[in-house]
Amino acid sequence: GTINGEIALVVSNRMKAYGLERARLANIEAVCIKDQDELMAKLEEAKIDVIVLAGYLAIIPEMMIKRYKNRIINIHPSLIPSFCGSGFYGIHVHEHAFNRGVKVSGATVHFVSNVVDGGPIILQSCFFGKVDF
């Protein structure tokens, strides 16, 4: 489906994240924030309703998960429950999967919970074949 909303703020915990530049080019406010309290204050100030994690590599603090219960969505580059949890992020996930000999990989969209990559699954999509890294 669709979400009736707009991208109001882009945040990264990495200063050189390309997503910050893309947001600025689209005239969307973009900031680098590493402090959890500062992040919570910024989200409140911007009146954020839903958070989408797309390449955000920091663990989300429990206070934020409670405040935005079932309103934080993560995009994970594997078919959860395979190749997820600590250390599994970005292209490394697919490298691990194909090095293990899997024939199918993909991505999962899920709600964020206190368990890393353990929240309820919203959607999964897969692809087949070998990718050269």
Side-chain angles (χ1 to χ4, degrees), residues 77-78 83 89-106 127-133:
S78 82
F83 304 101
Y89 59 90
I91 195 69
H92 304 297
V93 174
H94 299 297
E95 290 171 341
H96 285 284
F98 285 113
N99 286 340
R100 290 291 307 264
V102 300
K103 304 293 185 233
V104 176
S105 191
F127 64 84
F128 301 87
K130 176 80 170 111
V131 178
D132 292 322
F133 297 102

Side-chain angles (χ1 to χ4, degrees), residues 75-119:
I75 303 169
H76 183 78
S78 82
L79 298 172
I80 291 176
S82 297
F83 304 101
C84 63
S86 182
F88 287 99
Y89 59 90
I91 195 69
H92 304 297
V93 174
H94 299 297
E95 290 171 341
H96 285 284
F98 285 113
N99 286 340
R100 290 291 307 264
V102 300
K103 304 293 185 233
V104 176
S105 191
T108 302
V109 178
H110 66 93
F111 288 108
V112 173
S113 71
N114 289 330
V115 177
V116 175
D117 296 329

Side-chain angles (χ1 to χ4, degrees), residues 23-127:
R24 290 180 188 120
L25 291 171
N27 295 316
I28 299 169
E29 183 179 3
V31 293
C32 178
I33 300 175
K34 295 183 181 190
D35 179 78
Q36 295 176 356
D37 292 331
E38 185 182 343
L39 175 59
M40 286 292 291
K42 185 66 177 174
L43 295 172
E44 293 291 327
E45 174 191 315
K47 297 182 170 80
I48 300 301
D49 294 318
V50 177
I51 299 167
V52 177
L53 306 175
Y56 192 79
L57 299 180
I59 300 298
I60 303 301
E62 186 174 345
M63 65 177 176
M64 190 170 170
I65 293 170
K66 285 181 181 177
R67 168 67 179 88
Y68 292 94
K69 184 176 171 77
N70 293 326
R71 295 187 293 138
I72 305 175
I73 298 168
N74 184 43
I75 303 169
H76 183 78
S78 82
L79 298 172
I80 291 176
S82 297
F83 304 101
C84 63
S86 182
F88 287 99
Y89 59 90
I91 195 69
H92 304 297
V93 174
H94 299 297
E95 290 171 341
H96 285 284
F98 285 113
N99 286 340
R100 290 291 307 264
V102 300
K103 304 293 185 233
V104 176
S105 191
T108 302
V109 178
H110 66 93
F111 288 108
V112 173
S113 71
N114 289 330
V115 177
V116 175
D117 296 329
I121 294 171
I122 299 167
L123 177 72
Q124 289 185 307
S125 184
C126 63
F127 64 84

